[in-house]
Amino acid sequence: CGFQLRGNSSATALPESWRSLYLDTGNPNSEFSREVMARFSANGITWVEEREEAAFILQLGPENFSQRNLSLNREARAAEFELTMQTRFAVLQPDNTAVIEPSGASVVKQMENDPRNVVGKAEEIRILKGEMRTELAQQILRRIGFFAANAAAQQAG
Amino acid sequence: AQESAAEPCPAGDQALCSTDVPPAANAYPLDWVPIREVPEELQDEECRSCRGRYIDPLAGADTGVDPELSDINASAAQTELEGDEVFLHGGVSVEQGYRRLKGKDAYYNRSESRGKLTGGITIREPGILLKGQEASFSSDTGEAEITESQFVLHQQHMRGAARSLRRDAQGLVHVENGALSYCAPGEQDWEIRADEMELDLDEGLGTARGAKVAVGGMPVLYLPWLRFPLDDRRRSGLLWPDIGSDTRGGIDIAAPIYLNLAPNYDALYTPRYIEERGVNNEVELRYLNPAVGSWSVGGAYMETDKRYEDERPEQRDHSRWLGKVEHNGLFGQRWRSRVDYSKASDVDYLKDLQTTNLETRRETSLLQLGSLDYLGDDWLFDLDFQQFQSLADDINNDYQKLPQFTGQYRGEYEPFALEPILLGQYSYFDTDDNRVKGQRIYGEAGVTYPMLWQFGFLKPTAKYRYLEYELTDLGSPGANDSPSTGTPLFSLDGGLYFERQTTLLDRGLLQTLEPRLYYLYSEYEDQSEQPDFDSAELTFTYNQLFRETRFSGRDRLDDADQLSVGMTTRYISEEDGREHLNASIGQIFYFRDRQVRLLSGAEPLDQSSSEMAGEVNFYPNERLTVRGSLVWDPHSTDMNAGNVQASYERDDSSIFSVGYSYRRPLTTIQTENRNQQVTEQAHFSAYVPLGNRWSLFGAVNYSVEAGESVEDMFGVEYDTCCWQVRLLHLRYYDSVTGETLDFNDPNLEQESSTQVQIVLKGMGGFGSRVTGLMEDMIRGYREREY
Amino acid sequence: LPEDRQEPIRITADKAVRDEKNGFTVYQGNVMMQQGTLRIDATKVTVFHSDKEADRIKAEGSPAHMREQPQADKGLMHARAEVIEYFKAEERVLLKRNASVEQDGSRVAGDSIEYFIGQQLIRADSSASDSGRVEVVIPASALPNSQQNGDQSTPSTPSDNSAEEEPGGTTDGQ
């Protein structure tokens, strides 16, 4: 049915020209920034210290986490929460022209609440937050990887 | 032709009466362009509601160079230069940098660099237009004084008129005996008149003394002093009152007053009259300073709550108060501090006094947290002090972490390299009830070896986990006061990426197929002697398939011998790499019963496979979003949890969203000895502009199993260019003081609340009750700042 | 300068025709006339010396160019127009068509300009054609304020102007 394993020439493989990135973000040491850096470097990107040395600059916003009651139980208390984590990112060339316009990425999860075990559920939210950071980082990596591969293909094509 | 200078319009009483100032060079008086001539990309919502907008001819001008340093270029029908004096006659137009001056005649003295313009003058700079009879100006300081003036602040969407208008060297605009309005030229809906006004464009703040707010030409409010925003950076002085009434307190009027004390700290004082309770004083102070981070200290205090007195005569003290401290700090990008502490005078405070913030009303506990983290390169350290104030008599207080200290090694996920896993945590758990309390030590040490290729990944992990307690206040004397457990864990996570080009709705898409296997093994150790301080059973979702544990918190070391099988597919657009669809489904196959449970007496779980868990996220375009998740039990063939949310937004800012959620609570969750009732709820919400200034909005949260609408809201909005009125009616169920709610209780009555919001646009009416409710209940709705 | 009157007048041109009967002499072909700091360059200069018009000089060019140092401390004044009429006695200069007067960077341009050297008065008119406008440029450097805030650009001193316009010495008549 036409599926083949993703190879180096595939649409989402990162071309050489994109290998060095500089991270421009509020707190490079936060959990979210480190997650993005780790996911990207695991896919062959090297982070450079100086903005000038980088082929491209990733502008990364902070993680915005919000929580909402999704449904109420028989005691009119929250039976389920909906957790949302959003961020904004853009990719610029060293001369600040945008290669990827500022755009958003978001992840939404649901979880069951237990009004009688607030501490335990707070720990569940902490676990979900970690997973949402990973999924957000992967979402951004896929967007950029795909875009870079396309750009490289067009130049070559 | 009409005598060139229009009969001067006396600024005081019938201000802004005439807009037919001599036709300026461009055809639009006061730069107001009717909507049919406004270019498409400039037609924002405001433009539509005002049927036009200000367009500043100098909008793009380069404001980099100081006009005082640029040449003066003047042209006229006739000129005379004598030494330093220059006379210009007949259609004078002067340019100095981005500054433009026009008039019938002009005089300029070069040595004093002062000049005079007469005969229907116009002075223009990017963002500001000044018109009038005569103007004297100084070209080196930018000072100008204009008589019988009319002016426009384009970005601030404000226009005004004044007997005399003066701009000083610092750029402050002083308006004597003038009027200011946000309404379109020709509209008299409302304006602010004042003996003296000062507009500070840099700070974005206007101050008026001896101000009168006139509606439809009639002064309705006199204010000795009024401060208002000139842009949306700042909140303003007098904010618009929240008016309403509800069944928890009767008439309820709050008039927030905002005191902008300095650029980095401000205060909001809100006296609030509640008919059946008394006067509540709400204060919020905010302080921002890089050295100490951002701090917000707030609170509310009511001497005696009359209604609370009747409902709770047995209480001695009937004062009601709420304290709240919030802080976020980041120092040197390494140290991060946070405080989120709220405390209320009694468990019913939120129910009785936070009537219009449904989210907080339903909270069953107030977080009281202080945390300090160190974000090192290789290590992450967290120190947390966390406890909760219970807001329900039937819920006992949760354990307090006083403190919890965690140290964790920060991995790099570097492929094809051994990476250590190290985590250590010390916690002290306390409680006011006579339940077991004590200290807990948890440690984790291990290694992982992530392997990554373009076509897939494989990640073996092995670690040893250790848990030890020092307990006191144990119920039975013989119990072990220092139980400990240690077990090894091994996991192997692997996945492949398949791709193919495909098209869907004639759009080029790349489809991926991502199978994933996850094997988890960890030894069983009896942990029945261990307490449950901060653990809960995790909600079963697709993510659960690939987790190392089925418990949150660290009070249990899972026993596991299982294999999870999952499959994800994605549709990615070929042009911009945006994901239009992702769907996943999977299941866990157990090779051994799970004996470790939260409740020591609970039976082991013996199913041979887990429920099927699936997720779908579908974003066909910018407007429509559909999200769904499902947990289906193949053994009992019924749905344990299901959830669908769809929301649709249109350019005219209308929003529709529909939701359905179904959940069968896990056996471990005790809900007040009631059998495990299913929660099934449908949601509908919408905000629909009707196009003729009217908009309708509403939301319903309908509980299917109770056959009742748990909370619903309906509202109407009339929006004009410079003011807006909203009326909203809210109905909801809530537990009454002291008891828990039960839907099938026959004499259960519904609470209701009606709120009115009047916003005079441009005066910085910021979030109020109605806005809060709309943002809470209409999913996807975000209020616009005026 | 006021003392220019006493200076001798020197005129060089490709060709000169003297018409005793009508009392004027016409010089043609890159004509250059000098009297002290006053200097006129034009393609055709007519000097009237009949008794009733003794003090009138008419210069034509595209444009004709007249420069003069009105006072010691002031910069050089440049007047340009297609027709420049100079009335020595009244110290009045009449410029017609694409007229412009420049001094210390400030500039006035228009259809016709009247310049009274003595009173330092310039009157420019565009009345000739309705679309015509008079232009006035007052350089920032001339504004007193700009000197105070450390504007290094020195006003254009006379020496610069004349240097770049120095023709290659006077032409000897063909």
Side-chain angles (χ1 to χ4, degrees), chain B residues 247-408:
Chain B
T247 50
R248 302 295 289 198
I251 304 279
D252 186 336
I253 299 172
I257 297 168
Y258 172 74
L259 307 168
N260 175 24
L261 309 172
N264 66 343
Y265 64 90
D266 55 29
L268 184 69
Y269 168 65
T270 310
R272 178 178 168 203
Y273 163 73
I274 307 170
E275 183 189 3
E276 295 167 8
R277 296 184 185 278
V279 175
N280 195 17
N281 298 292
E282 293 164 12
V283 178
E284 186 194 4
L285 302 167
R286 291 187 320 172
Y287 179 73
L288 180 66
N289 174 339
V292 288
S294 79
W295 285 88
S296 152
V297 178
Y301 180 75
M302 181 187 287
E303 184 64 30
T304 50
D305 179 334
K306 297 199 292 283
R307 175 162 167 174
Y308 191 65
E309 217 170 0
D310 312 337
E311 282 169 355
R312 293 289 190 91
E314 78 284 0
Q315 297 269 15
R316 271 180 301 87
D317 168 11
H318 292 105
S319 70
R320 313 291 297 273
W321 50 266
L322 171 75
K324 193 162 174 53
V325 177
E326 272 179 62
H327 157 72
N328 281 296
L330 181 63
F331 309 104
Q333 292 188 339
R334 287 294 180 193
W335 292 95
R336 183 175 58 194
S337 56
R338 181 170 165 236
V339 171
D340 184 348
Y341 187 97
S342 317
K343 189 160 180 51
S345 56
D346 55 275
V347 292
D348 298 307
Y349 184 89
L350 292 185
K351 288 197 185 354
D352 295 346
L353 290 159
Q354 291 279 43
T355 47
T356 52
N357 185 330
L358 282 177
E359 290 289 314
T360 46
R361 280 182 56 72
R362 303 249 188 240
E363 272 177 23
T364 57
S365 57
L366 287 178
L367 173 64
Q368 298 175 343
L369 166 81
S371 79
L372 182 64
D373 310 333
Y374 177 73
L375 311 165
D377 283 340
D378 298 322
W379 286 90
L380 184 64
F381 297 110
D382 301 304
L383 179 64
D384 295 328
F385 294 83
Q386 175 187 292
Q387 62 185 23
F388 291 92
Q389 175 189 356
S390 162
L391 289 180
D393 297 333
D394 65 328
I395 296 180
N396 50 34
N397 276 343
D398 277 82
Y399 277 103
Q400 299 147 352
K401 286 182 187 175
L402 298 171
Q404 173 167 290
F405 179 76
T406 313
Q408 189 176 7

Side-chain angles (χ1 to χ4, degrees), chain B residues 21-38:
Chain B
V21 171
N26 59 17
Y28 305 111
L30 292 179
D31 294 350
W32 182 263
V33 180
I35 190 162
R36 57 190 183 291
E37 287 159 38
V38 172

Side-chain angles (χ1 to χ4, degrees), chain B residues 4-8 22 117-121 131-135 146-149:
Chain B
S4 71
E7 176 265 329
L117 267 161
T118 54
I121 63 99
K131 298 172 88 71
Q133 265 316 305
E134 279 179 26
I146 301 159
T147 58
E148 302 312 324
S149 150

Side-chain angles (χ1 to χ4, degrees), chain B residues 28-277:
Chain B
Y28 305 111
L30 292 179
D31 294 350
W32 182 263
V33 180
I35 190 162
R36 57 190 183 291
E37 287 159 38
V38 172
E40 194 57 41
E41 68 280 4
L42 290 176
Q43 290 196 10
D44 58 11
E45 227 171 285
E46 218 166 81
C47 175
R48 278 190 287 277
S49 75
C50 297
R51 301 280 186 280
R53 64 168 292 156
Y54 294 111
I55 291 188
D56 177 7
L58 293 185
D62 158 27
T63 51
V65 176
D66 220 344
E68 285 71 23
L69 299 178
S70 348
D71 297 352
I72 296 180
N73 292 296
S75 73
Q78 203 258 344
T79 179
E80 269 156 35
L81 290 91
E82 191 164 2
D84 285 336
E85 290 183 320
V86 181
F87 299 89
L88 295 142
H89 305 292
V92 176
S93 127
V94 179
E95 281 181 28
Q96 186 182 23
Y98 56 72
R99 192 177 287 157
R100 300 278 181 281
L101 302 99
K102 284 194 167 54
K104 193 158 162 303
D105 304 304
Y107 158 77
Y108 180 70
N109 182 313
R110 266 197 290 201
S111 57
E112 298 159 8
S113 54
R114 298 196 59 75
K116 217 162 140 37
L117 267 161
T118 54
I121 63 99
T122 306
I123 295 182
R124 193 187 278 289
E125 281 183 14
I128 186 166
L129 163 66
L130 309 170
K131 298 172 88 71
Q133 265 316 305
E134 279 179 26
S136 56
F137 65 93
S138 134
S139 64
D140 58 0
T141 62
E143 283 167 292
E145 184 148 357
I146 301 159
T147 58
E148 302 312 324
S149 150
Q150 282 187 302
F151 58 91
V152 168
L153 304 174
H154 302 90
Q155 280 99 358
Q156 290 76 12
H157 196 280
M158 276 192 186
R159 64 182 162 82
R163 186 163 301 287
S164 107
L165 181 132
R166 190 169 51 81
R167 199 168 84 129
D168 63 22
Q170 291 77 24
L172 290 181
V173 177
H174 301 271
V175 181
E176 266 92 33
N177 198 322
L180 195 64
S181 174
Y182 197 86
C183 305
E187 274 175 27
Q188 288 304 93
D189 299 7
W190 68 268
E191 68 200 11
I192 293 184
R193 298 180 192 143
D195 311 336
E196 212 200 305
M197 270 196 255
E198 192 190 280
L199 310 178
D200 181 340
L201 297 175
D202 298 340
E203 289 297 317
L205 268 179
T207 317
R209 266 170 276 284
K212 290 194 283 289
V213 179
V215 175
M218 283 284 302
V220 295
L221 189 64
Y222 175 77
L223 295 159
W225 179 87
L226 163 70
R227 176 164 289 180
F228 48 91
L230 290 178
D231 55 30
D232 44 26
R233 272 178 302 175
R234 285 297 175 86
R235 297 193 284 187
S236 77
L238 181 78
L239 304 173
W240 301 102
D242 280 327
I243 305 157
S245 93
D246 63 46
T247 50
R248 302 295 289 198
I251 304 279
D252 186 336
I253 299 172
I257 297 168
Y258 172 74
L259 307 168
N260 175 24
L261 309 172
N264 66 343
Y265 64 90
D266 55 29
L268 184 69
Y269 168 65
T270 310
R272 178 178 168 203
Y273 163 73
I274 307 170
E275 183 189 3
E276 295 167 8
R277 296 184 185 278

Side-chain angles (χ1 to χ4, degrees), chain C residues 8 39 54 58 67 95-97 106 109 147-148 161 164:
Chain C
R39 169 175 158 169
K58 180 176 176 190
R67 86 201 70 193
L95 306 155
K96 284 201 286 277
R97 291 198 304 285
S106 44
Q147 259 86 13
Q148 279 118 24
N161 291 8
E164 54 25 75

